[in-house]
Amino acid sequence: MLLNRAQLLTSPAANTVFTTVLTRGPVNRPEIARITGLSSAAVTKAVKPMIEAGYLEEMPQQERTAEGAGRPAHPLSVRADREFFVGVKVTADELIGVVTDLRAEVRAAHRIPLSGRGVEQVVGGIAELVRQVAGEYAAHTHHIGVSVSGDVDRPGGVVRYSPFLGWRDVPLVRLVADVTGATVTVENDVKALTIAEQWFGEGVGADSFALATVGVGIGCALVVNGRLVPGGYGVAGEIGHIPVAAGDGPDCHCGGRGCVEAIASEEAIVARAREAAGDPALDMAGAIDRAHGGDAAVRAVFAEAGQAIGLGLAAMVNLVGPERVVVSGEGLAAYDLFEEQIRAAFTRQAFGAAARCPLVVRPLPWEEWARGAAAVSIQSLFAA
Amino acid sequence: MLLNRAQLLTSPAANTVFTTVLTRGPVNRPEIARITGLSSAAVTKAVKPMIEAGYLEEMPQQERTAEGAGRPAHPLSVRADREFFVGVKVTADELIGVVTDLRAEVRAAHRIPLSGRGVEQVVGGIAELVRQVAGEYAAHTHHIGVSVSGDVDRPGGVVRYSPFLGWRDVPLVRLVADVTGATVTVENDVKALTIAEQWFGEGVGADSFALATVGVGIGCALVVNGRLVPGGYGVAGEIGHIPVAAGDGPDCHCGGRGCVEAIASEEAIVARAREAAGDPALDMAGAIDRAHGGDAAVRAVFAEAGQAIGLGLAAMVNLVGPERVVVSGEGLAAYDLFEEQIRAAFTRQAFGAAARCPLVVRPLPWEEWARGAAAVSIQSLFAA
């Protein structure tokens, strides 16, 4: 029975129907069929187990319209409080957790420091954070989403490689499930954020969009033809490794040269700012201070970083043609120091009509990243 | 009746069913349902008008297997000679035409020179070429596909901008239909070639792949999540305008700097070879001769072009993650002069597992491009 229910919930039609009700609801079955292009029978078949499981509910009957005269038209709505989801974002020194409802609205948030980056410490920390953040929602919380930067095998539930944690091939889903008893998903953090945008944010209704993040790394996730781009070999969206200065740029840790990340990551900016300022102890906050204080050499470092980011964004837009680009990430703390260069380089390098693609700049606090992890968990209920 | 038939033929299910029979046939309905994930009812509904219209045929009944015991299992096959299609590729100085069957197999080919690039001359030339190439197939040829480089609005049937023809907003579909009486499609030439690969070539069964062309321009078309990437603003696949040498590279006609095309297009190579050789009259053939003759300065021009192409391919693979890349185009005449640099730059710059993406190098004669135009015409029968 459970298996059967799960199969009915996780079909392409179920996925489409759920997102339609989520974003357009309350909406009745004939409208769902019209919006999605699914047959009435397919809509009815997809809806039934979702109502039985309590994820959707029928609202009181609407007045009959001329269009639907004589036929009942119970609009459907997502039951936001049917179930709650914990999302956890793992950073280098703390864990950020949120509880969301079925609409991915954040109901509670909590952070705990990480005592170390070992697998046991992180898994123990996640279990502790889940206990603390779930609180009053604990009885109705059975799903946990975790997001980590790096190479993540979501179907396999494995963190294949996380440079900043120093992890290789860690079966995180199994480990967290063992200590929490919950159903767990794990996803790359930028992809998770993108799924949250796709299902619940800027990406709703867009056939294509991109989310780029600027900070410790320069990352990007892409939705094309309505779906996240997975990469044939697990690699996609590596905007940080577009070689914008292959001839005269700095070497990159990836083995390439002149990559966006080698010029504009936090580490690269700090290294170049130290050199520019002649101060080997300078950190990012200090570099920002110096630039704000008018240090021309350090300002130039940020300007070059902005130019590299703008060129990388333009190269991505020229290739993939997203309808819009959201730019975010912790690096936006210094955004005033390179926004002008990002936009100027983007505009100059975007090809023809691609220059019309809007760059939407949005600082996203860590809690939004944690919400992304919860969104993946919600999505896993319905997406095949 | 005709409208109804057309609607039934051009649905997402029809598209899927036809390509399945095309690539896997002979295949029976239950197998089609299994392969495509469509319901039996949807398969039956999609197949019926295709059989009635003669595009599919039922083969003699197979022996009954244990699995299908007691149920008839008429395998379906594409009737290749049900109808024929003319494909025309427009180049700067000649028109190349082919006749293909419903499987996109070339049955006849012909070329005629263009007396000029004016709209009237090209349209008149296409009409003449269609008459000559259709020959014995004329009675069963009602569809013409035309492909042109540049910005093409396929749904609108308009060549929005073709730099080498000097055209803007030419309603080519209507003009060619007026003089031929056929149903006409027009598509960008690289996209047309990619559709041929997707339906009938390297791309069959691949969820993602890329086709890059090297020559007068550096172009690319992408299939991601099973569909051609259209670009939110009509721009996508512009691998030629990835800035790989934004700091120290040459200006590009697009307004950017250090673009792949500004280093590796035929025009760029010739300009740089002229300078290197001190011979302002040098053409491409002459540059290739000099390089083959051992002229180190001219060889370096080709090497730099190869490096730029390899970096552009790596940037594209890092971003989009195709399962494979086909590299083609008239520029491959000089391929021995830059293959090594293409592969070396690609390997160095590809990020992690993306380096496993195979680069399949294939010279494609103009007739293959014309076949691409015919493939678009075939696809337009079934794709919504």
Side-chain angles (χ1 to χ4, degrees):
Chain A
M1 175 57 194
L2 186 63
L3 180 66
N4 189 27
R5 198 194 86 181
Q7 283 174 330
L8 281 172
L9 285 175
T10 60
S11 68
N15 188 344
T16 306
V17 166
F18 181 77
T19 52
T20 303
V21 178
L22 188 69
T23 55
R24 310 282 197 108
V27 57
N28 63 33
R29 291 176 181 77
E31 283 170 322
I32 297 172
R34 187 179 53 75
I35 293 167
T36 59
L38 292 168
S39 69
S40 300
V43 171
T44 301
K45 187 178 163 194
V47 159
K48 195 162 174 281
M50 289 188 205
I51 292 176
E52 286 172 3
Y55 294 115
L56 299 185
E57 60 186 343
E58 295 193 298
M59 314 286 285
Q61 192 164 329
Q62 286 176 314
E63 282 183 34
R64 293 176 183 189
T65 61
E67 205 184 342
R71 296 187 310 167
H74 292 288
L76 296 165
S77 180
V78 169
R79 261 190 68 197
D81 59 357
R82 159 67 176 81
E83 193 164 337
F84 299 92
F85 300 80
V86 173
V88 178
K89 156 77 178 166
V90 182
T91 74
D93 44 24
E94 63 179 346
L95 299 173
I96 300 92
V98 297
V99 175
T100 80
D101 61 26
L102 192 54
R103 292 180 181 276
E105 299 282 345
V106 174
R107 301 291 190 102
H110 193 65
R111 298 183 178 204
I112 63 172
L114 264 183
S115 55
R117 298 176 193 176
V119 173
E120 243 177 76
Q121 288 156 305
V122 172
V123 171
I126 291 173
E128 178 58 29
L129 176 61
V130 169
R131 260 192 303 279
Q132 292 187 18
V133 76
E136 58 179 301
Y137 304 101
H140 299 99
T141 304
H142 311 294
H143 293 84
I144 299 171
V146 181
S147 78
V148 182
S149 80
D151 181 2
V152 174
D153 171 13
R154 175 175 163 183
V158 172
V159 177
R160 279 196 291 234
Y161 178 48
S162 172
F164 83 100
L165 290 172
W167 289 6
R168 278 194 190 276
D169 298 319
V170 173
L172 192 64
V173 160
R174 183 173 57 72
L175 296 172
V176 174
D178 282 351
V179 295
T180 61
T183 301
V184 181
T185 52
V186 62
E187 180 56 287
N188 165 276
D189 57 349
V190 182
K191 285 186 180 166
L193 204 48
T194 305
I195 287 165
E197 292 287 335
Q198 186 189 9
W199 275 50
F200 307 103
E202 287 282 343
V204 171
D207 210 44
S208 62
F209 75 97
L211 186 142
T213 61
V214 175
V216 173
I218 314 280
C220 181
L222 302 166
V223 169
V224 175
N225 290 329
R227 284 194 286 146
L228 202 64
V229 178
Y233 302 90
V235 174
E238 289 293 348
I239 199 171
H241 300 285
I242 295 178
V244 295
D248 58 348
D251 288 340
C252 182
H253 63 86
C254 75
R257 190 174 178 194
C259 295
V260 173
E261 197 163 293
I263 301 167
S265 72
E266 187 173 314
E267 189 184 327
I269 290 174
V270 169
R272 292 155 79 94
R274 284 177 179 170
E275 204 173 321
D279 175 0
L282 202 64
D283 63 4
M284 189 64 173
I288 293 175
D289 281 350
R290 268 185 184 263
H292 282 155
D295 184 324
V298 175
R299 287 189 77 87
V301 169
F302 282 99
E304 280 174 33
Q307 195 195 21
I309 294 166
L311 292 171
L313 291 172
M316 182 270 286
V317 169
N318 290 348
L319 269 173
V320 179
E323 291 170 30
R324 63 181 61 202
V325 179
V326 176
V327 182
S328 191
E330 69 278 15
L332 293 192
Y335 194 67
D336 63 300
L337 293 170
F338 50 47
E339 172 175 12
E340 190 187 325
Q341 287 78 13
I342 289 179
R343 294 197 181 272
F346 175 80
T347 302
R348 199 184 67 232
Q349 191 64 43
F351 188 74
R356 284 160 44 203
C357 177
L359 302 183
V360 182
V361 177
R362 275 232 313 256
L364 296 175
W366 287 123
E367 280 69 20
E368 284 293 306
W369 292 73
R371 176 174 172 260
V376 174
S377 182
I378 298 171
Q379 191 192 47
S380 71
L381 285 182
F382 303 103
Chain B
M1 174 60 192
L2 186 65
L3 181 67
N4 189 27
R5 200 194 86 184
Q7 283 174 331
L8 281 170
L9 285 173
T10 58
S11 68
N15 187 344
T16 306
V17 166
F18 181 77
T19 51
T20 304
V21 177
L22 187 71
T23 54
R24 309 283 196 105
V27 56
N28 63 31
R29 290 176 183 76
E31 283 169 321
I32 296 172
R34 187 180 52 75
I35 292 167
T36 61
L38 292 168
S39 69
S40 301
V43 171
T44 299
K45 187 179 163 193
V47 159
K48 194 161 174 280
M50 290 189 203
I51 292 176
E52 285 172 2
Y55 294 114
L56 299 184
E57 61 187 344
E58 294 193 299
M59 314 285 287
Q61 193 166 328
Q62 286 176 317
E63 283 182 34
R64 294 177 183 189
T65 62
E67 203 185 343
R71 297 187 308 166
H74 292 286
L76 296 165
S77 180
V78 168
R79 264 189 67 198
D81 59 357
R82 159 66 175 80
E83 192 162 337
F84 299 92
F85 301 81
V86 173
V88 178
K89 157 77 178 167
V90 182
T91 74
D93 44 23
E94 63 179 348
L95 299 172
I96 300 93
V98 299
V99 175
T100 80
D101 62 24
L102 192 54
R103 291 180 181 278
E105 298 282 345
V106 174
R107 299 292 188 99
H110 193 64
R111 297 184 179 205
I112 63 172
L114 262 183
S115 55
R117 297 177 194 176
V119 173
E120 244 176 75
Q121 289 157 307
V122 172
V123 171
I126 290 173
E128 178 58 29
L129 176 60
V130 169
R131 261 192 301 280
Q132 292 187 18
V133 76
E136 60 178 300
Y137 304 101
H140 299 98
T141 304
H142 311 295
H143 293 84
I144 300 171
V146 181
S147 77
V148 181
S149 79
D151 181 1
V152 175
D153 171 13
R154 175 174 165 186
V158 171
V159 178
R160 278 195 292 233
Y161 179 46
S162 172
F164 83 100
L165 290 173
W167 289 6
R168 278 195 189 274
D169 298 317
V170 173
L172 193 63
V173 159
R174 183 172 57 73
L175 296 172
V176 174
D178 282 351
V179 294
T180 61
T183 301
V184 181
T185 52
V186 63
E187 180 58 286
N188 166 276
D189 56 351
V190 180
K191 285 187 180 166
L193 203 50
T194 305
I195 287 165
E197 292 288 335
Q198 185 189 10
W199 275 50
F200 306 103
E202 288 281 344
V204 171
D207 210 43
S208 63
F209 75 98
L211 184 141
T213 61
V214 176
V216 172
I218 314 281
C220 181
L222 303 166
V223 170
V224 175
N225 290 330
R227 284 193 287 147
L228 201 63
V229 178
Y233 302 89
V235 174
E238 289 293 346
I239 199 172
H241 300 285
I242 294 176
V244 295
D248 59 348
D251 287 340
C252 181
H253 63 84
C254 76
R257 191 174 179 193
C259 295
V260 173
E261 196 162 292
I263 301 167
S265 72
E266 188 173 312
E267 188 183 325
I269 290 175
V270 169
R272 292 154 79 92
R274 283 176 178 172
E275 203 173 319
D279 175 359
L282 201 65
D283 64 4
M284 190 65 174
I288 293 175
D289 281 351
R290 269 184 182 264
H292 282 156
D295 183 325
V298 175
R299 288 188 77 86
V301 169
F302 282 99
E304 280 173 34
Q307 195 196 22
I309 294 167
L311 291 172
L313 291 171
M316 182 269 288
V317 169
N318 289 348
L319 269 174
V320 180
E323 290 170 30
R324 64 180 61 202
V325 179
V326 176
V327 183
S328 190
E330 69 277 15
L332 293 191
Y335 195 67
D336 64 301
L337 292 169
F338 51 48
E339 174 174 13
E340 191 186 323
Q341 287 79 11
I342 289 178
R343 292 194 182 275
F346 175 80
T347 302
R348 199 185 66 230
Q349 191 64 41
F351 188 73
R356 284 159 47 202
C357 176
L359 302 184
V360 182
V361 177
R362 274 234 311 257
L364 295 175
W366 288 124
E367 281 70 19
E368 284 293 308
W369 291 73
R371 177 174 172 261
V376 174
S377 182
I378 298 171
Q379 191 193 47
S380 71
L381 284 182
F382 304 104

